Amino acid sequence: MSDATVDETEQDAKKSSKLPLIIGLVLALAGGGGGFYAVQSGLLSVGKSDETGGHPPADHGDPHVETKALPDVSFVEVPPVLISLGPGAQANHLRFRASLEVPSQYQAEVEKILPRIQDVLNSYLRALEAHDLEAQGALVRLRGQLLRRIKLVAGEDRVRDLLVLEFVLN
């Protein structure tokens, strides 16, 4: 009789061990669904990056919704630069091409001093070591340094940004 009792308790234990798993699964699904509903309905805002909770304002025909106008800028193409790298470099050349974002009223002035800007680019890029160009994150640092130097030459308010269009080591 003791063997029969042991078998029944083992079977009961197996059946009851599934119950917490099922309850946990149901609660997890309910929590996930509730969280999804709360975020989608706007009760919670995730990744809040602006006043609208990270979402662009919806235009549902409401005349009171205004969109921001794009800034009045022009782009001045900087002639491509080809730089020979030293003997310790993994690549032989750097091909660099960029464009300057300038306020439209200063476009003609920046175009006039483009040879000076190109000289600054050449001088800085040629002074770099090969490991400076090949390092991880090099493009971000170089872009910041070049923009700072260009703003010194052109004037702080005349150049808004430097857009790197090509940065190829070959």
Side-chain angles (χ1 to χ4, degrees):
M1 188 176 240
S2 65
D3 290 336
T5 310
V6 171
D7 289 338
E8 288 177 13
T9 57
E10 286 178 9
Q11 288 176 354
D12 289 341
K14 288 181 184 176
K15 287 181 184 177
S16 67
S17 67
K18 290 182 182 178
L19 185 62
L21 178 66
I22 292 172
I23 291 173
L25 182 63
V26 169
L27 289 175
L29 288 173
F36 177 78
Y37 174 75
V39 170
Q40 289 298 323
S41 66
L43 296 174
L44 293 176
S45 61
V46 178
K48 196 173 203 179
S49 62
D50 58 4
E51 302 157 356
T52 62
H55 300 288
D59 186 13
H60 299 289
D62 187 5
H64 301 293
V65 176
E66 294 182 24
T67 57
K68 284 186 173 179
L70 293 174
D72 187 22
V73 296
S74 296
F75 296 95
V76 176
E77 188 80 20
V78 177
V81 176
L82 183 64
I83 304 222
S84 298
L85 302 176
Q90 292 178 355
N92 294 327
H93 296 92
L94 165 66
R95 193 170 59 221
F96 180 83
R97 192 168 62 95
S99 186
L100 300 173
E101 181 179 330
V102 299
S104 292
Q105 69 263 26
Y106 298 124
Q107 180 180 359
E109 293 176 23
V110 171
E111 286 174 348
K112 280 183 186 177
I113 61 167
L114 202 52
R116 185 176 298 277
I117 291 171
Q118 192 171 8
D119 178 60
V120 168
L121 293 175
N122 273 323
S123 300
Y124 179 72
L125 291 173
R126 289 195 188 277
L128 293 173
E129 298 288 328
H131 62 84
D132 294 331
L133 298 171
E134 296 166 350
Q136 191 173 23
L139 184 58
V140 175
R141 286 189 302 276
L142 292 174
R143 184 178 168 273
Q145 289 293 323
L146 289 171
L147 181 60
R148 185 176 68 83
R149 285 167 168 74
I150 291 169
K151 283 184 174 186
L152 286 173
V153 169
E156 188 71 29
D157 58 338
R158 286 188 172 83
V159 177
R160 291 177 49 134
D161 203 0
L162 172 71
L163 303 149
V164 177
L165 303 177
E166 191 173 16
F167 187 86
V168 179
L169 293 168
N170 59 8

